[in-house]
């Protein structure tokens, strides 16, 4: 029988799992994040003003403890999302008095027909480190938009630099839209999000940072199409030409010191080396999207 959270994930495109981590784990994650955030330059902040900042955790092996945490493994079981691999993770921190995040989804695999089915190709585990509300920039989502067409899908926009830099705050993708739902959480809660879901975040009008650890996993990896597997592997290897995000390529998760690597080696994406990775396509075919999930 499906768990309630699994049903919500399928129907809404997300679910909220309350109190998965205790205070001491959240404090630890907070320390790792603070350490990483010390290295964020002013230039990066201005390039990623809408997100706040976007730090690849591949450079910070401490995060192995959370990627391989037993509570997350149990959650994958509860959600029937086993056979998963880890592909990437980021620290996303909105400073005080910062603008909204623009509406988007994070799925790059729309060229593959699987993207228009009930099969969940990627989930995003979102761990917020402080209580979140609309006032301090909490997440907002359009429930059901992982399968269903919404007017946001039709806003002409190239996701990336101009929207990230917030060159025009009046752009429709920073505004509130019909059907949006604010996701308010407490530290220790985890938001599990189907990567196809439309989401954004409110402006942070508070005096505090609003920080999130965001981890991407691909359930039932061995059963995914070969090209999709190859693309997941290339993301894991930081071959990230798709998002305009220039990463220093300093460190790969696969090269983390043994002590940290061995906690998560079982989650590394492994596939044949001679397969061409699936093309990056962040634009769903809207006709196909309409009927998805209901066939
Ligand atoms: O900042 C947030 O709350 C969400 C960020 C996010 O999901 C994204 O940038 O894709």
């Amino acid at each position: 029988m499906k768990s309630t959270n699994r049903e919500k994930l399928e129907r809404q495109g997300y679910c909220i799992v309350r109190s998965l981590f205790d205070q001491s784990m959240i404090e630890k994650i907070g320390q790792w994040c603070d350490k990483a955030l010390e290295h964020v330059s002013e230039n990066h902040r201005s390039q990623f003003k809408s997100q706040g900042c976007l730090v690849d955790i591949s450079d910070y092996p401490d995060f192995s403890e959370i990627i391989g945490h037993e509570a997350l493994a149990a959650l994958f079981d509860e959600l029937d999302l086993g056979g998963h691999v880890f592909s990437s993770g980021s620290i996303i921190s909105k400073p005080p008095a910062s603008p909204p995040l623009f509406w988007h989804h994070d799925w790059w695999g729309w060229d593959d027909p699987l993207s228009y089915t009930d099969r969940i190709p990627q989930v995003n585990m979102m761990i917020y480190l402080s209580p979140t509300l609309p006032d301090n920039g909490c997440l907002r989502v359009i429930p059901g938009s992982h399968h269903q067409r919404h007017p946001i899908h039709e806003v002409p926009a190239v996701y990336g630099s101009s929207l990230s830099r917030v060159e025009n705050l009046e752009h429709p993708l920073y505004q509130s839209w019909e059907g949006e739902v604010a996701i308010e959480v407490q530290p220790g809660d985890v938001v599990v999000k189907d990567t196809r879901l439309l989401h954004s975040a409110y402006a942070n009008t508070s005096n505090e940072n609003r920080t999130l650890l965001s981890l991407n996993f691909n359930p039932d990896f061995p059963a995914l199409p070969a090209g999709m597997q190859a693309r997941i592997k290339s993301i894991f290897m930081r071959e990230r030409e798709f998002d305009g995000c220039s990463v220093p390529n300093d460190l790969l998760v696969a090269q983390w010191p043994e002590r940290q690597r061995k906690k998560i080696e079982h989650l590394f994406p492994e596939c044949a080396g001679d397969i061409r990775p699936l093309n990056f396509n962040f634009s769903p075919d809207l006709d196909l999207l309409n009927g998805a999930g209901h066939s």
Side-chain angles (χ1 to χ4, degrees):
M1 212 177 79
K2 282 181 193 172
S3 69
T4 308
N5 281 330
R6 170 72 195 212
E7 275 177 12
K8 285 186 186 165
L9 178 61
E10 284 181 12
R11 192 179 65 254
Q12 309 175 146
Y14 71 96
C15 65
I16 307 169
V17 181
R18 301 288 178 189
S19 307
L20 191 73
F21 296 111
D22 61 20
Q23 183 61 24
S24 68
M25 191 66 219
I26 293 299
E27 278 169 17
K28 244 188 199 182
I29 300 172
Q31 284 161 11
W32 302 330
C33 289
D34 287 347
K35 210 165 75 181
L37 290 169
E38 279 172 17
H39 298 111
V40 174
S41 67
E42 279 312 309
N43 180 48
H44 176 99
R45 293 252 180 219
S46 63
Q47 297 299 322
F48 294 94
K49 207 167 162 188
S50 183
Q51 292 87 348
C53 70
L54 200 55
V55 176
D56 191 319
I57 62 166
S58 304
D59 290 320
Y60 302 97
D62 283 339
F63 287 99
S64 63
E65 189 172 334
I66 185 77
I67 297 169
H69 199 285
E70 59 185 17
L72 266 192
L75 179 57
F76 275 97
D77 283 346
E78 185 214 311
L79 295 173
D80 198 15
L81 295 174
H84 56 293
V85 297
F86 171 74
S87 61
S88 63
S90 323
I91 304 160
I92 303 172
S93 187
K94 289 178 90 54
S98 56
L101 172 64
F102 57 89
W103 284 99
H104 67 289
H105 62 74
D106 296 323
W107 183 232
W108 41 261
W110 293 107
D111 276 357
D112 192 290
L114 179 148
S115 304
Y116 303 90
T117 70
D118 286 345
R119 169 78 157 83
I120 302 173
Q122 182 162 301
V123 286
N124 181 216
M125 297 289 186
M126 308 172 86
I127 304 166
Y128 289 86
L129 302 182
S130 50
T132 66
L133 290 164
D135 283 354
N136 71 345
C138 76
L139 179 70
R140 54 185 172 178
V141 302
I142 305 287
S145 59
H146 56 319
H147 287 318
Q148 295 298 313
R149 188 169 172 162
H150 184 278
I152 291 173
H153 285 119
E154 294 173 49
V155 176
V158 179
Y159 292 153
S161 48
S162 168
L163 284 166
S164 291
R165 285 197 298 267
V166 195
E167 287 174 354
N168 172 17
L169 195 51
E170 302 308 312
H171 194 287
L173 291 178
Y174 300 111
Q175 316 307 321
S176 280
W177 282 80
E178 195 183 337
E180 82 181 27
V181 169
I183 307 292
E184 300 178 6
V185 294
Q186 293 297 319
D189 297 348
V190 175
V191 180
V192 185
K193 177 161 66 57
D194 185 319
T195 303
R196 296 169 293 185
L197 191 74
L198 288 171
H199 64 281
S200 64
Y202 293 96
N204 181 3
T205 60
S206 77
N207 298 323
E208 307 282 340
N209 289 325
R210 194 243 51 190
T211 301
L212 150 72
L213 176 65
S214 170
L215 304 173
N216 290 312
F217 294 90
N218 304 89
D220 200 9
F221 179 78
L224 288 174
M228 203 177 273
Q229 289 182 349
R231 180 54 75 188
I232 290 163
K233 174 88 186 270
S234 90
I235 292 171
F236 179 70
M237 300 305 285
R238 301 185 80 173
E239 296 159 2
R240 296 182 58 176
E241 75 275 13
F242 67 98
D243 61 2
C245 168
S246 60
V247 289
N249 261 331
D250 281 341
L251 198 55
L252 301 177
V253 173
Q255 296 167 336
W256 281 358
E258 192 188 349
R259 188 169 64 80
Q260 284 108 348
R261 204 182 58 233
K262 69 179 188 217
K263 292 182 188 155
I264 56 169
E265 253 167 0
H266 59 291
L267 299 172
F268 290 0
E270 293 299 343
C271 56
D274 55 349
I275 305 287
R276 191 158 169 259
L278 179 67
N279 190 34
F280 278 118
N281 178 5
F282 286 90
S283 304
D285 178 326
L286 296 186
D287 293 333
L288 292 177
L289 201 56
N290 254 337
H294 300 276
S295 50

